[in-house]
Amino acid sequence: MIEHKQPLVSVIVPVYNVAKYLRKCMDSLCEQSYRNLQIIAVDDGSTDESLSILREYEAKDSRVEVVHQENQGASAARNKALDSCRGEWVTGCDPDDWLELNAVERVIEALSITEADIAIFGYKKVFELQNYEEKYTALKNIRQSGVYKITEQLLQRLFPCCYFCTKYIRRSLIEELSLRFEVGRWYEDVSFSLISLLARMGQDVLILNDPLYNYRQHNSSILGKIRIQKAEKVLDVYLEVEKVLMYLQEEKELSNRQYFAVSMIQYYGALIRKDIPDTLLPEVETKTGKLLNQYGLDKAWLMYLYGIRSMPTIVNYLFLKIVDSKISVKLFGLPLFTLNRRSGMIRVALLGIPVYKSMPVPYKKLNV
């Protein structure tokens, strides 16, 4: 047990009809080696035994606070808990998941040597039916845990790790930004996580690659529902991305962070392609284009796609034109060269005559 002053840590647990898994989750919290916890469990109108199980833990552990509300969804339950948090640090644990028993101690001990307002740690995906697990580090391509400066490059590597439950965020930062989860939306962690990180650009973030969180995969989880139903709700990620773009625009940082913005759109667009049927792919393309047009990122998008980072003066004389996913070079209005990347195809034309057309390629995961 660490000996320095122990800050209070508030852990948020949104609960809805998870009686089968709830005891493992609550045991992992109540049996933490770090004791200074506020465990806020919000029952979101459960119709099974979840609420009675929570009452049991509340009766035997004074650190457990149980709140009951009518069913409104996980985001509403988390927001309800945020209103009651007293801890210096705020984190979460979903009710079908669980923590390693030294998780809180490990994070707080590491935070004690830095002024960082955010800590991020690794996790394990535990596949219930297949009886195996996969370990995920907190930050891709960085092996060593430690304190890092928040940069655009680092943020792009953090896109796959936007889970609220694998972060500790200083409560004062949450209050400063008035952060809340969007009710009724999937991927609600994305804007909550990225906005908190963007607000601390250039400052420290603690990265722990230890897999301290166990993320259970089963058919009643959100991930399970996506895989089974191929639901259109996965497109909610675009609403979360737009919320981040709005934040950058309001802070007058969008022009400075344009490559971050386009890589964010690119990554999350690619992410959901794995989880939707082909019939929804046109909508993915439409929503991508709408965001790029609305926030003036069309040119940055093309420069990102084609690896263009600077334009020589000669290019301006050739009247370079970039629209949507198309780049064309014209001389006195006549098309000299056109390159179009759209719907997984590449088309090239010289002097207006098509000279190359690729076949659509299977989806490949982006490396950002």
Side-chain angles (χ1 to χ4, degrees):
M1 180 66 68
I2 53 183
E3 297 179 355
H4 57 78
K5 182 181 177 182
Q6 296 183 334
L8 180 64
V9 177
S10 296
V11 185
I12 294 172
V13 187
V15 177
Y16 178 72
N17 287 353
V18 284
K20 178 180 178 181
Y21 307 109
L22 188 53
R23 292 186 189 278
K24 186 173 183 65
C25 171
M26 295 301 293
D27 284 343
S28 78
L29 298 176
C30 294
E31 296 173 13
Q32 284 291 309
S33 57
Y34 188 92
R35 306 300 295 171
N36 196 18
L37 300 176
Q38 177 195 22
I39 303 167
I40 308 173
V42 180
D43 177 71
D44 188 42
S46 296
T47 56
D48 64 1
E49 297 177 352
S50 294
L51 180 57
S52 61
I53 292 172
L54 291 177
R55 294 297 186 198
E56 289 177 22
Y57 282 88
E58 185 180 41
K60 65 184 180 182
D61 192 326
S62 61
R63 300 172 301 168
V64 177
E65 302 173 16
V66 177
V67 180
H68 174 72
Q69 66 178 25
E70 296 301 316
N71 180 246
Q72 300 174 55
S75 290
R78 284 176 173 173
N79 291 339
K80 185 84 170 178
L82 281 172
D83 294 337
S84 302
C85 286
R86 303 188 306 275
E88 180 179 344
W89 294 98
V90 177
T91 186
C93 186
D94 285 344
D96 45 357
D97 301 335
W98 69 96
L99 294 176
E100 295 298 317
L101 294 182
N102 67 337
V104 182
E105 180 178 358
R106 178 77 182 86
V107 176
I108 293 299
E109 187 173 39
L111 279 168
S112 69
I113 60 172
T114 175
E115 297 296 319
D117 288 331
I118 303 171
I120 306 173
F121 47 93
Y123 62 98
K124 286 185 290 187
K125 282 186 178 179
V126 181
F127 294 82
E128 186 178 69
L129 296 179
Q130 295 85 352
N131 194 30
Y132 82 99
E133 60 186 34
E134 294 175 355
K135 293 182 180 179
Y136 291 81
T137 56
L139 188 59
K140 184 178 179 180
N141 296 331
I142 289 187
R143 304 290 182 189
Q144 188 173 356
S145 299
V147 179
Y148 295 87
K149 293 293 181 186
I150 302 175
T151 63
E152 211 164 283
Q153 183 182 20
L154 179 126
L155 277 176
Q156 290 176 17
R157 293 180 181 180
L158 284 172
F159 289 156
C161 193
C162 274
Y163 307 125
F164 170 62
C165 295
T166 58
K167 289 182 178 58
Y168 279 45
I169 303 177
R170 204 181 291 273
R171 182 163 59 91
S172 58
L173 175 59
I174 293 175
E175 293 174 349
E176 172 191 326
L177 298 172
S178 301
L179 286 174
R180 288 298 183 270
F181 297 94
E182 294 291 340
V183 176
R185 185 179 294 179
W186 285 6
Y187 292 102
E188 73 281 358
D189 298 21
V190 170
S191 64
F192 195 100
S193 298
L194 288 180
I195 289 174
S196 62
L197 286 161
L198 284 165
R200 291 294 182 263
M201 286 290 287
Q203 299 184 37
D204 289 346
V205 61
L206 173 67
I207 304 292
L208 295 175
N209 278 334
D210 310 43
L212 302 175
Y213 188 87
N214 295 282
Y215 183 20
R216 189 195 302 268
Q217 308 295 292
H218 57 89
N219 287 344
S220 56
S221 67
I222 288 293
L223 184 62
K225 288 177 181 176
I226 290 173
R227 286 175 173 167
I228 292 171
Q229 300 171 0
K230 301 294 184 184
E232 294 187 23
K233 287 292 285 180
V234 297
L235 296 174
D236 280 359
V237 75
Y238 281 99
L239 300 175
E240 287 293 289
V241 167
E242 183 168 21
K243 189 174 177 180
V244 178
L245 293 174
M246 289 173 63
Y247 170 79
L248 287 172
Q249 189 176 63
E250 290 167 0
E251 296 296 315
K252 297 181 172 55
E253 284 292 321
L254 187 57
S255 59
N256 295 332
R257 310 287 175 211
Q258 60 179 348
Y259 288 118
F260 162 79
V262 297
S263 57
M264 176 180 62
I265 296 171
Q266 175 87 324
Y267 174 79
Y268 287 109
L271 178 71
I272 65 175
R273 283 175 181 268
K274 310 196 309 291
D275 297 315
I276 60 174
D278 291 346
T279 53
L280 284 179
L281 290 179
E283 191 167 352
V284 170
E285 188 175 331
T286 298
K287 287 183 179 294
T288 297
K290 182 179 178 182
L291 284 180
L292 295 170
N293 291 331
Q294 184 175 347
Y295 291 91
L297 293 168
D298 306 71
K299 182 174 290 189
W301 174 259
L302 265 294
M303 293 171 73
Y304 178 88
L305 278 180
Y306 295 111
I308 302 170
R309 290 296 178 268
S310 62
M311 294 187 195
T313 305
I314 187 66
V315 172
N316 294 325
Y317 289 111
L318 292 176
F319 301 101
L320 179 71
K321 186 178 182 183
I322 300 178
V323 239
D324 199 8
S325 58
K326 180 178 180 182
I327 181 170
S328 59
V329 178
K330 296 184 178 182
L331 182 61
F332 305 114
L334 299 175
L336 299 179
F337 172 81
T338 303
L339 177 60
N340 190 4
R341 287 179 63 168
R342 196 167 182 81
S343 302
M345 299 183 70
I346 299 176
R347 300 178 182 86
V348 180
L350 292 175
L351 301 176
I353 303 170
V355 295
Y356 174 77
K357 181 175 75 171
S358 74
M359 296 300 291
V361 294
Y363 166 78
K364 292 183 180 180
K365 185 175 181 180
L366 287 172
N367 292 317
V368 295

